[in-house]
Amino acid sequence: MQGVARVIVGYTGGVEKNPTYDCILDTTEAILIEYDPNAISYERILNEWSKQHNPQYPQKSQYRSAIWVKNESERTFAMAQIERMKNQHHGFGDPEKQRKMYVDVEEVAPFYRAEEYHQDYLKKRKGGSGSWSRGKKR
């Protein structure tokens, strides 16, 4: 995606320090997206994330869907995107028809880089596209 400098796979959202895939306990697998705000907006990244993500089922902490925010502006964008996702899944403003979206919105927590074999996973897989947007989002 133009404007995205790099995407790092890792773990965040728990109290455990330096988690690993084999010892993840209470942390969540996540990605850290470094981007140029002059080239791409936070809102556009969230919009792209929501096109390729369907968090309609609760997950255990390792695989839960979450957006970590730095400030109230990011929280506002994240909450608005979740509302749009509810409406896109047949709700259209009618709370009785909206599906529950299992997305946590939390303050940024310490981020720990995952093991090297998790980085650029799709590029490493035979036939993978390497597109960050096909993987897990943060």
Side-chain angles (χ1 to χ4, degrees), residues 22-57:
D22 293 328
C23 187
I24 198 166
L25 301 178
D26 68 341
T27 25
T28 302
E29 291 182 22
I31 61 171
L32 174 68
I33 301 170
E34 294 179 353
Y35 67 98
D36 177 357
N38 295 316
I40 187 169
S41 69
Y42 180 75
E43 187 173 22
R44 177 148 180 248
I45 291 172
L46 284 177
N47 195 28
E48 196 60 36
W49 168 83
S50 70
K51 288 179 189 176
Q52 302 185 37
H53 189 58
N54 189 5
Q56 293 184 15
Y57 306 99

PDB file of all heavy atoms in Angstrom, residues 22-57:
ATOM      1  N   ASP A  22       5.562 -19.623  21.096  1.00  0.00           N
ATOM      2  CA  ASP A  22       5.413 -20.825  21.919  1.00  0.00           C
ATOM      3  C   ASP A  22       4.987 -20.519  23.345  1.00  0.00           C
ATOM      4  O   ASP A  22       4.564 -21.408  24.079  1.00  0.00           O
ATOM      5  CB  ASP A  22       6.730 -21.617  21.941  1.00  0.00           C
ATOM      6  CG  ASP A  22       7.060 -22.201  20.589  1.00  0.00           C
ATOM      7  OD1 ASP A  22       6.122 -22.546  19.837  1.00  0.00           O
ATOM      8  OD2 ASP A  22       8.260 -22.309  20.269  1.00  0.00           O
ATOM      9  N   CYS A  23       5.105 -19.267  23.754  1.00  0.00           N
ATOM     10  CA  CYS A  23       4.755 -18.875  25.120  1.00  0.00           C
ATOM     11  C   CYS A  23       4.046 -17.520  25.072  1.00  0.00           C
ATOM     12  O   CYS A  23       4.552 -16.517  25.558  1.00  0.00           O
ATOM     13  CB  CYS A  23       6.027 -18.800  25.968  1.00  0.00           C
ATOM     14  SG  CYS A  23       5.672 -18.509  27.713  1.00  0.00           S
ATOM     15  N   ILE A  24       2.842 -17.519  24.492  1.00  0.00           N
ATOM     16  CA  ILE A  24       2.150 -16.259  24.239  1.00  0.00           C
ATOM     17  C   ILE A  24       1.240 -15.835  25.399  1.00  0.00           C
ATOM     18  O   ILE A  24       0.981 -14.676  25.605  1.00  0.00           O
ATOM     19  CB  ILE A  24       1.390 -16.312  22.901  1.00  0.00           C
ATOM     20  CG1 ILE A  24       1.062 -14.903  22.436  1.00  0.00           C
ATOM     21  CG2 ILE A  24       0.181 -17.202  22.999  1.00  0.00           C
ATOM     22  CD1 ILE A  24       0.618 -14.834  21.004  1.00  0.00           C
ATOM     23  N   LEU A  25       0.757 -16.761  26.173  1.00  0.00           N
ATOM     24  CA  LEU A  25      -0.118 -16.542  27.327  1.00  0.00           C
ATOM     25  C   LEU A  25      -1.228 -15.518  27.072  1.00  0.00           C
ATOM     26  O   LEU A  25      -2.181 -15.809  26.380  1.00  0.00           O
ATOM     27  CB  LEU A  25       0.706 -16.191  28.567  1.00  0.00           C
ATOM     28  CG  LEU A  25       1.730 -17.244  28.985  1.00  0.00           C
ATOM     29  CD1 LEU A  25       2.518 -16.779  30.187  1.00  0.00           C
ATOM     30  CD2 LEU A  25       1.101 -18.596  29.215  1.00  0.00           C
ATOM     31  N   ASP A  26      -1.091 -14.283  27.599  1.00  0.00           N
ATOM     32  CA  ASP A  26      -2.210 -13.326  27.528  1.00  0.00           C
ATOM     33  C   ASP A  26      -2.060 -12.276  26.432  1.00  0.00           C
ATOM     34  O   ASP A  26      -2.859 -11.361  26.344  1.00  0.00           O
ATOM     35  CB  ASP A  26      -2.401 -12.637  28.881  1.00  0.00           C
ATOM     36  CG  ASP A  26      -1.256 -11.703  29.237  1.00  0.00           C
ATOM     37  OD1 ASP A  26      -0.166 -11.846  28.656  1.00  0.00           O
ATOM     38  OD2 ASP A  26      -1.453 -10.834  30.096  1.00  0.00           O
ATOM     39  N   THR A  27      -1.037 -12.364  25.602  1.00  0.00           N
ATOM     40  CA  THR A  27      -0.827 -11.350  24.570  1.00  0.00           C
ATOM     41  C   THR A  27      -1.569 -11.722  23.287  1.00  0.00           C
ATOM     42  O   THR A  27      -2.066 -12.820  23.124  1.00  0.00           O
ATOM     43  CB  THR A  27       0.669 -11.170  24.232  1.00  0.00           C
ATOM     44  OG1 THR A  27       1.364 -12.357  24.537  1.00  0.00           O
ATOM     45  CG2 THR A  27       1.283 -10.056  24.954  1.00  0.00           C
ATOM     46  N   THR A  28      -1.636 -10.756  22.373  1.00  0.00           N
ATOM     47  CA  THR A  28      -2.346 -10.914  21.107  1.00  0.00           C
ATOM     48  C   THR A  28      -1.363 -10.783  19.954  1.00  0.00           C
ATOM     49  O   THR A  28      -0.517  -9.892  19.966  1.00  0.00           O
ATOM     50  CB  THR A  28      -3.429  -9.816  20.981  1.00  0.00           C
ATOM     51  OG1 THR A  28      -4.324  -9.930  22.094  1.00  0.00           O
ATOM     52  CG2 THR A  28      -4.211  -9.950  19.692  1.00  0.00           C
ATOM     53  N   GLU A  29      -1.490 -11.675  18.982  1.00  0.00           N
ATOM     54  CA  GLU A  29      -0.708 -11.523  17.763  1.00  0.00           C
ATOM     55  C   GLU A  29      -1.211 -10.276  17.050  1.00  0.00           C
ATOM     56  O   GLU A  29      -2.416 -10.063  16.942  1.00  0.00           O
ATOM     57  CB  GLU A  29      -0.884 -12.735  16.859  1.00  0.00           C
ATOM     58  CG  GLU A  29      -0.254 -13.987  17.422  1.00  0.00           C
ATOM     59  CD  GLU A  29      -0.406 -15.163  16.473  1.00  0.00           C
ATOM     60  OE1 GLU A  29      -0.599 -14.964  15.259  1.00  0.00           O
ATOM     61  OE2 GLU A  29      -0.333 -16.295  16.966  1.00  0.00           O
ATOM     62  N   ALA A  30      -0.302  -9.447  16.587  1.00  0.00           N
ATOM     63  CA  ALA A  30      -0.695  -8.162  16.000  1.00  0.00           C
ATOM     64  C   ALA A  30       0.333  -7.736  14.967  1.00  0.00           C
ATOM     65  O   ALA A  30       1.385  -8.357  14.828  1.00  0.00           O
ATOM     66  CB  ALA A  30      -0.796  -7.107  17.105  1.00  0.00           C
ATOM     67  N   ILE A  31      -0.003  -6.676  14.259  1.00  0.00           N
ATOM     68  CA  ILE A  31       0.983  -6.057  13.380  1.00  0.00           C
ATOM     69  C   ILE A  31       1.114  -4.588  13.762  1.00  0.00           C
ATOM     70  O   ILE A  31       0.151  -3.966  14.208  1.00  0.00           O
ATOM     71  CB  ILE A  31       0.647  -6.200  11.880  1.00  0.00           C
ATOM     72  CG1 ILE A  31      -0.664  -5.531  11.526  1.00  0.00           C
ATOM     73  CG2 ILE A  31       0.705  -7.647  11.446  1.00  0.00           C
ATOM     74  CD1 ILE A  31      -0.950  -5.455  10.041  1.00  0.00           C
ATOM     75  N   LEU A  32       2.306  -4.080  13.598  1.00  0.00           N
ATOM     76  CA  LEU A  32       2.600  -2.668  13.794  1.00  0.00           C
ATOM     77  C   LEU A  32       2.806  -2.087  12.405  1.00  0.00           C
ATOM     78  O   LEU A  32       3.650  -2.581  11.645  1.00  0.00           O
ATOM     79  CB  LEU A  32       3.867  -2.502  14.637  1.00  0.00           C
ATOM     80  CG  LEU A  32       4.383  -1.086  14.814  1.00  0.00           C
ATOM     81  CD1 LEU A  32       3.415  -0.266  15.662  1.00  0.00           C
ATOM     82  CD2 LEU A  32       5.754  -1.114  15.461  1.00  0.00           C
ATOM     83  N   ILE A  33       2.023  -1.089  12.059  1.00  0.00           N
ATOM     84  CA  ILE A  33       2.097  -0.483  10.729  1.00  0.00           C
ATOM     85  C   ILE A  33       2.781   0.870  10.851  1.00  0.00           C
ATOM     86  O   ILE A  33       2.291   1.757  11.543  1.00  0.00           O
ATOM     87  CB  ILE A  33       0.686  -0.309  10.122  1.00  0.00           C
ATOM     88  CG1 ILE A  33      -0.017  -1.655  10.028  1.00  0.00           C
ATOM     89  CG2 ILE A  33       0.775   0.369   8.758  1.00  0.00           C
ATOM     90  CD1 ILE A  33      -1.494  -1.549   9.676  1.00  0.00           C
ATOM     91  N   GLU A  34       3.914   1.001  10.186  1.00  0.00           N
ATOM     92  CA  GLU A  34       4.607   2.288  10.120  1.00  0.00           C
ATOM     93  C   GLU A  34       4.239   2.919   8.787  1.00  0.00           C
ATOM     94  O   GLU A  34       4.383   2.281   7.737  1.00  0.00           O
ATOM     95  CB  GLU A  34       6.111   2.095  10.235  1.00  0.00           C
ATOM     96  CG  GLU A  34       6.520   1.571  11.593  1.00  0.00           C
ATOM     97  CD  GLU A  34       8.020   1.355  11.722  1.00  0.00           C
ATOM     98  OE1 GLU A  34       8.752   1.479  10.720  1.00  0.00           O
ATOM     99  OE2 GLU A  34       8.454   1.062  12.838  1.00  0.00           O
ATOM    100  N   TYR A  35       3.748   4.156   8.839  1.00  0.00           N
ATOM    101  CA  TYR A  35       3.272   4.798   7.612  1.00  0.00           C
ATOM    102  C   TYR A  35       3.548   6.289   7.640  1.00  0.00           C
ATOM    103  O   TYR A  35       3.789   6.878   8.688  1.00  0.00           O
ATOM    104  CB  TYR A  35       1.778   4.533   7.412  1.00  0.00           C
ATOM    105  CG  TYR A  35       0.882   5.187   8.447  1.00  0.00           C
ATOM    106  CD1 TYR A  35       0.249   6.397   8.171  1.00  0.00           C
ATOM    107  CD2 TYR A  35       0.658   4.607   9.689  1.00  0.00           C
ATOM    108  CE1 TYR A  35      -0.575   6.999   9.111  1.00  0.00           C
ATOM    109  CE2 TYR A  35      -0.156   5.204  10.631  1.00  0.00           C
ATOM    110  CZ  TYR A  35      -0.772   6.399  10.334  1.00  0.00           C
ATOM    111  OH  TYR A  35      -1.584   7.010  11.266  1.00  0.00           O
ATOM    112  N   ASP A  36       3.502   6.874   6.447  1.00  0.00           N
ATOM    113  CA  ASP A  36       3.701   8.307   6.274  1.00  0.00           C
ATOM    114  C   ASP A  36       2.327   8.970   6.256  1.00  0.00           C
ATOM    115  O   ASP A  36       1.582   8.804   5.294  1.00  0.00           O
ATOM    116  CB  ASP A  36       4.438   8.568   4.968  1.00  0.00           C
ATOM    117  CG  ASP A  36       4.624  10.052   4.674  1.00  0.00           C
ATOM    118  OD1 ASP A  36       4.138  10.902   5.457  1.00  0.00           O
ATOM    119  OD2 ASP A  36       5.258  10.353   3.652  1.00  0.00           O
ATOM    120  N   PRO A  37       1.954   9.719   7.301  1.00  0.00           N
ATOM    121  CA  PRO A  37       0.628  10.344   7.339  1.00  0.00           C
ATOM    122  C   PRO A  37       0.413  11.389   6.253  1.00  0.00           C
ATOM    123  O   PRO A  37      -0.723  11.781   5.995  1.00  0.00           O
ATOM    124  CB  PRO A  37       0.543  10.953   8.736  1.00  0.00           C
ATOM    125  CG  PRO A  37       1.942  11.063   9.203  1.00  0.00           C
ATOM    126  CD  PRO A  37       2.744  10.009   8.493  1.00  0.00           C
ATOM    127  N   ASN A  38       1.488  11.823   5.590  1.00  0.00           N
ATOM    128  CA  ASN A  38       1.340  12.745   4.464  1.00  0.00           C
ATOM    129  C   ASN A  38       0.959  12.008   3.181  1.00  0.00           C
ATOM    130  O   ASN A  38       0.513  12.630   2.223  1.00  0.00           O
ATOM    131  CB  ASN A  38       2.630  13.541   4.234  1.00  0.00           C
ATOM    132  CG  ASN A  38       2.928  14.443   5.406  1.00  0.00           C
ATOM    133  OD1 ASN A  38       2.044  15.117   5.934  1.00  0.00           O
ATOM    134  ND2 ASN A  38       4.175  14.443   5.850  1.00  0.00           N
ATOM    135  N   ALA A  39       1.169  10.688   3.160  1.00  0.00           N
ATOM    136  CA  ALA A  39       0.878   9.894   1.974  1.00  0.00           C
ATOM    137  C   ALA A  39      -0.376   9.041   2.114  1.00  0.00           C
ATOM    138  O   ALA A  39      -1.042   8.735   1.127  1.00  0.00           O
ATOM    139  CB  ALA A  39       2.069   8.995   1.647  1.00  0.00           C
ATOM    140  N   ILE A  40      -0.697   8.639   3.343  1.00  0.00           N
ATOM    141  CA  ILE A  40      -1.874   7.804   3.585  1.00  0.00           C
ATOM    142  C   ILE A  40      -2.413   8.142   4.970  1.00  0.00           C
ATOM    143  O   ILE A  40      -1.644   8.383   5.904  1.00  0.00           O
ATOM    144  CB  ILE A  40      -1.541   6.296   3.463  1.00  0.00           C
ATOM    145  CG1 ILE A  40      -2.815   5.453   3.540  1.00  0.00           C
ATOM    146  CG2 ILE A  40      -0.529   5.870   4.496  1.00  0.00           C
ATOM    147  CD1 ILE A  40      -2.619   4.003   3.176  1.00  0.00           C
ATOM    148  N   SER A  41      -3.719   8.167   5.103  1.00  0.00           N
ATOM    149  CA  SER A  41      -4.326   8.536   6.384  1.00  0.00           C
ATOM    150  C   SER A  41      -4.571   7.301   7.254  1.00  0.00           C
ATOM    151  O   SER A  41      -4.705   6.178   6.759  1.00  0.00           O
ATOM    152  CB  SER A  41      -5.653   9.252   6.147  1.00  0.00           C
ATOM    153  OG  SER A  41      -6.616   8.348   5.627  1.00  0.00           O
ATOM    154  N   TYR A  42      -4.635   7.554   8.533  1.00  0.00           N
ATOM    155  CA  TYR A  42      -4.988   6.511   9.500  1.00  0.00           C
ATOM    156  C   TYR A  42      -6.356   5.933   9.144  1.00  0.00           C
ATOM    157  O   TYR A  42      -6.553   4.720   9.180  1.00  0.00           O
ATOM    158  CB  TYR A  42      -4.995   7.137  10.901  1.00  0.00           C
ATOM    159  CG  TYR A  42      -5.353   6.191  12.010  1.00  0.00           C
ATOM    160  CD1 TYR A  42      -4.447   5.249  12.456  1.00  0.00           C
ATOM    161  CD2 TYR A  42      -6.602   6.257  12.622  1.00  0.00           C
ATOM    162  CE1 TYR A  42      -4.770   4.382  13.490  1.00  0.00           C
ATOM    163  CE2 TYR A  42      -6.923   5.398  13.655  1.00  0.00           C
ATOM    164  CZ  TYR A  42      -6.013   4.457  14.083  1.00  0.00           C
ATOM    165  OH  TYR A  42      -6.341   3.613  15.094  1.00  0.00           O
ATOM    166  N   GLU A  43      -7.273   6.807   8.768  1.00  0.00           N
ATOM    167  CA  GLU A  43      -8.618   6.359   8.402  1.00  0.00           C
ATOM    168  C   GLU A  43      -8.581   5.419   7.196  1.00  0.00           C
ATOM    169  O   GLU A  43      -9.288   4.417   7.159  1.00  0.00           O
ATOM    170  CB  GLU A  43      -9.511   7.564   8.121  1.00  0.00           C
ATOM    171  CG  GLU A  43     -10.960   7.188   7.911  1.00  0.00           C
ATOM    172  CD  GLU A  43     -11.858   8.411   7.804  1.00  0.00           C
ATOM    173  OE1 GLU A  43     -11.368   9.511   7.477  1.00  0.00           O
ATOM    174  OE2 GLU A  43     -13.059   8.245   8.051  1.00  0.00           O
ATOM    175  N   ARG A  44      -7.744   5.711   6.218  1.00  0.00           N
ATOM    176  CA  ARG A  44      -7.663   4.840   5.031  1.00  0.00           C
ATOM    177  C   ARG A  44      -7.093   3.471   5.397  1.00  0.00           C
ATOM    178  O   ARG A  44      -7.536   2.446   4.888  1.00  0.00           O
ATOM    179  CB  ARG A  44      -6.802   5.486   3.946  1.00  0.00           C
ATOM    180  CG  ARG A  44      -6.655   4.577   2.764  1.00  0.00           C
ATOM    181  CD  ARG A  44      -6.544   5.307   1.454  1.00  0.00           C
ATOM    182  NE  ARG A  44      -6.396   4.320   0.397  1.00  0.00           N
ATOM    183  CZ  ARG A  44      -5.296   4.157  -0.316  1.00  0.00           C
ATOM    184  NH1 ARG A  44      -4.277   4.962  -0.143  1.00  0.00           N
ATOM    185  NH2 ARG A  44      -5.226   3.226  -1.238  1.00  0.00           N
ATOM    186  N   ILE A  45      -6.136   3.451   6.295  1.00  0.00           N
ATOM    187  CA  ILE A  45      -5.592   2.166   6.751  1.00  0.00           C
ATOM    188  C   ILE A  45      -6.675   1.363   7.455  1.00  0.00           C
ATOM    189  O   ILE A  45      -6.841   0.168   7.207  1.00  0.00           O
ATOM    190  CB  ILE A  45      -4.355   2.384   7.654  1.00  0.00           C
ATOM    191  CG1 ILE A  45      -3.195   2.914   6.805  1.00  0.00           C
ATOM    192  CG2 ILE A  45      -3.969   1.106   8.374  1.00  0.00           C
ATOM    193  CD1 ILE A  45      -1.991   3.351   7.595  1.00  0.00           C
ATOM    194  N   LEU A  46      -7.443   2.010   8.324  1.00  0.00           N
ATOM    195  CA  LEU A  46      -8.548   1.311   8.995  1.00  0.00           C
ATOM    196  C   LEU A  46      -9.584   0.820   7.995  1.00  0.00           C
ATOM    197  O   LEU A  46     -10.121  -0.279   8.132  1.00  0.00           O
ATOM    198  CB  LEU A  46      -9.228   2.233  10.011  1.00  0.00           C
ATOM    199  CG  LEU A  46      -8.506   2.482  11.314  1.00  0.00           C
ATOM    200  CD1 LEU A  46      -9.304   3.467  12.159  1.00  0.00           C
ATOM    201  CD2 LEU A  46      -8.261   1.201  12.071  1.00  0.00           C
ATOM    202  N   ASN A  47      -9.857   1.622   6.998  1.00  0.00           N
ATOM    203  CA  ASN A  47     -10.822   1.235   5.978  1.00  0.00           C
ATOM    204  C   ASN A  47     -10.338  -0.013   5.225  1.00  0.00           C
ATOM    205  O   ASN A  47     -11.113  -0.943   4.989  1.00  0.00           O
ATOM    206  CB  ASN A  47     -11.054   2.407   5.024  1.00  0.00           C
ATOM    207  CG  ASN A  47     -12.277   2.222   4.183  1.00  0.00           C
ATOM    208  OD1 ASN A  47     -13.224   1.552   4.581  1.00  0.00           O
ATOM    209  ND2 ASN A  47     -12.275   2.813   3.009  1.00  0.00           N
ATOM    210  N   GLU A  48      -9.084  -0.032   4.867  1.00  0.00           N
ATOM    211  CA  GLU A  48      -8.508  -1.192   4.177  1.00  0.00           C
ATOM    212  C   GLU A  48      -8.551  -2.425   5.072  1.00  0.00           C
ATOM    213  O   GLU A  48      -8.879  -3.523   4.640  1.00  0.00           O
ATOM    214  CB  GLU A  48      -7.077  -0.859   3.757  1.00  0.00           C
ATOM    215  CG  GLU A  48      -6.499  -1.777   2.745  1.00  0.00           C
ATOM    216  CD  GLU A  48      -7.259  -1.823   1.435  1.00  0.00           C
ATOM    217  OE1 GLU A  48      -7.793  -0.788   0.983  1.00  0.00           O
ATOM    218  OE2 GLU A  48      -7.322  -2.929   0.854  1.00  0.00           O
ATOM    219  N   TRP A  49      -8.219  -2.237   6.338  1.00  0.00           N
ATOM    220  CA  TRP A  49      -8.266  -3.330   7.320  1.00  0.00           C
ATOM    221  C   TRP A  49      -9.674  -3.932   7.383  1.00  0.00           C
ATOM    222  O   TRP A  49      -9.844  -5.137   7.348  1.00  0.00           O
ATOM    223  CB  TRP A  49      -7.834  -2.785   8.687  1.00  0.00           C
ATOM    224  CG  TRP A  49      -8.097  -3.678   9.848  1.00  0.00           C
ATOM    225  CD1 TRP A  49      -7.329  -4.721  10.278  1.00  0.00           C
ATOM    226  CD2 TRP A  49      -9.202  -3.606  10.750  1.00  0.00           C
ATOM    227  NE1 TRP A  49      -7.891  -5.300  11.382  1.00  0.00           N
ATOM    228  CE2 TRP A  49      -9.046  -4.632  11.688  1.00  0.00           C
ATOM    229  CE3 TRP A  49     -10.319  -2.768  10.847  1.00  0.00           C
ATOM    230  CZ2 TRP A  49      -9.952  -4.841  12.712  1.00  0.00           C
ATOM    231  CZ3 TRP A  49     -11.223  -2.982  11.865  1.00  0.00           C
ATOM    232  CH2 TRP A  49     -11.030  -4.008  12.786  1.00  0.00           C
ATOM    233  N   SER A  50     -10.673  -3.078   7.434  1.00  0.00           N
ATOM    234  CA  SER A  50     -12.039  -3.574   7.599  1.00  0.00           C
ATOM    235  C   SER A  50     -12.557  -4.301   6.358  1.00  0.00           C
ATOM    236  O   SER A  50     -13.434  -5.153   6.465  1.00  0.00           O
ATOM    237  CB  SER A  50     -12.987  -2.440   7.986  1.00  0.00           C
ATOM    238  OG  SER A  50     -13.164  -1.555   6.902  1.00  0.00           O
ATOM    239  N   LYS A  51     -12.032  -3.988   5.194  1.00  0.00           N
ATOM    240  CA  LYS A  51     -12.445  -4.681   3.972  1.00  0.00           C
ATOM    241  C   LYS A  51     -12.017  -6.145   3.982  1.00  0.00           C
ATOM    242  O   LYS A  51     -12.618  -6.968   3.301  1.00  0.00           O
ATOM    243  CB  LYS A  51     -11.832  -4.013   2.735  1.00  0.00           C
ATOM    244  CG  LYS A  51     -12.403  -2.685   2.381  1.00  0.00           C
ATOM    245  CD  LYS A  51     -11.679  -2.161   1.152  1.00  0.00           C
ATOM    246  CE  LYS A  51     -12.022  -0.739   0.847  1.00  0.00           C
ATOM    247  NZ  LYS A  51     -11.221  -0.230  -0.291  1.00  0.00           N
ATOM    248  N   GLN A  52     -10.975  -6.427   4.736  1.00  0.00           N
ATOM    249  CA  GLN A  52     -10.401  -7.761   4.690  1.00  0.00           C
ATOM    250  C   GLN A  52     -10.446  -8.462   6.042  1.00  0.00           C
ATOM    251  O   GLN A  52      -9.708  -9.423   6.266  1.00  0.00           O
ATOM    252  CB  GLN A  52      -8.978  -7.650   4.170  1.00  0.00           C
ATOM    253  CG  GLN A  52      -8.990  -7.004   2.811  1.00  0.00           C
ATOM    254  CD  GLN A  52      -7.647  -6.958   2.179  1.00  0.00           C
ATOM    255  OE1 GLN A  52      -6.868  -7.886   2.323  1.00  0.00           O
ATOM    256  NE2 GLN A  52      -7.368  -5.886   1.475  1.00  0.00           N
ATOM    257  N   HIS A  53     -11.326  -8.007   6.872  1.00  0.00           N
ATOM    258  CA  HIS A  53     -11.391  -8.547   8.231  1.00  0.00           C
ATOM    259  C   HIS A  53     -12.856  -8.672   8.631  1.00  0.00           C
ATOM    260  O   HIS A  53     -13.642  -7.766   8.372  1.00  0.00           O
ATOM    261  CB  HIS A  53     -10.651  -7.585   9.161  1.00  0.00           C
ATOM    262  CG  HIS A  53     -10.451  -8.106  10.530  1.00  0.00           C
ATOM    263  ND1 HIS A  53      -9.782  -9.277  10.794  1.00  0.00           N
ATOM    264  CD2 HIS A  53     -10.820  -7.613  11.724  1.00  0.00           C
ATOM    265  CE1 HIS A  53      -9.763  -9.477  12.103  1.00  0.00           C
ATOM    266  NE2 HIS A  53     -10.377  -8.479  12.681  1.00  0.00           N
ATOM    267  N   ASN A  54     -13.211  -9.773   9.245  1.00  0.00           N
ATOM    268  CA  ASN A  54     -14.598 -10.011   9.620  1.00  0.00           C
ATOM    269  C   ASN A  54     -14.651 -10.542  11.061  1.00  0.00           C
ATOM    270  O   ASN A  54     -14.779 -11.746  11.275  1.00  0.00           O
ATOM    271  CB  ASN A  54     -15.227 -11.013   8.646  1.00  0.00           C
ATOM    272  CG  ASN A  54     -16.710 -11.142   8.844  1.00  0.00           C
ATOM    273  OD1 ASN A  54     -17.311 -10.426   9.641  1.00  0.00           O
ATOM    274  ND2 ASN A  54     -17.310 -12.066   8.139  1.00  0.00           N
ATOM    275  N   PRO A  55     -14.554  -9.661  12.038  1.00  0.00           N
ATOM    276  CA  PRO A  55     -14.482 -10.089  13.437  1.00  0.00           C
ATOM    277  C   PRO A  55     -15.858 -10.338  14.060  1.00  0.00           C
ATOM    278  O   PRO A  55     -16.254  -9.703  15.026  1.00  0.00           O
ATOM    279  CB  PRO A  55     -13.768  -8.913  14.101  1.00  0.00           C
ATOM    280  CG  PRO A  55     -14.252  -7.737  13.316  1.00  0.00           C
ATOM    281  CD  PRO A  55     -14.393  -8.221  11.897  1.00  0.00           C
ATOM    282  N   GLN A  56     -16.617 -11.258  13.504  1.00  0.00           N
ATOM    283  CA  GLN A  56     -17.968 -11.511  13.999  1.00  0.00           C
ATOM    284  C   GLN A  56     -18.039 -12.616  15.041  1.00  0.00           C
ATOM    285  O   GLN A  56     -19.123 -12.952  15.505  1.00  0.00           O
ATOM    286  CB  GLN A  56     -18.892 -11.838  12.836  1.00  0.00           C
ATOM    287  CG  GLN A  56     -19.091 -10.652  11.932  1.00  0.00           C
ATOM    288  CD  GLN A  56     -20.092 -10.948  10.835  1.00  0.00           C
ATOM    289  OE1 GLN A  56     -20.839 -11.916  10.884  1.00  0.00           O
ATOM    290  NE2 GLN A  56     -20.120 -10.094   9.835  1.00  0.00           N
ATOM    291  N   TYR A  57     -16.909 -13.184  15.386  1.00  0.00           N
ATOM    292  CA  TYR A  57     -16.882 -14.270  16.359  1.00  0.00           C
ATOM    293  C   TYR A  57     -15.823 -13.979  17.408  1.00  0.00           C
ATOM    294  O   TYR A  57     -14.718 -13.560  17.071  1.00  0.00           O
ATOM    295  CB  TYR A  57     -16.581 -15.603  15.651  1.00  0.00           C
ATOM    296  CG  TYR A  57     -17.536 -15.858  14.521  1.00  0.00           C
ATOM    297  CD1 TYR A  57     -17.180 -15.582  13.208  1.00  0.00           C
ATOM    298  CD2 TYR A  57     -18.819 -16.318  14.767  1.00  0.00           C
ATOM    299  CE1 TYR A  57     -18.065 -15.779  12.161  1.00  0.00           C
ATOM    300  CE2 TYR A  57     -19.714 -16.516  13.732  1.00  0.00           C
ATOM    301  CZ  TYR A  57     -19.331 -16.248  12.433  1.00  0.00           C
ATOM    302  OH  TYR A  57     -20.223 -16.432  11.415  1.00  0.00           O
TER     303      TYR A  57
END
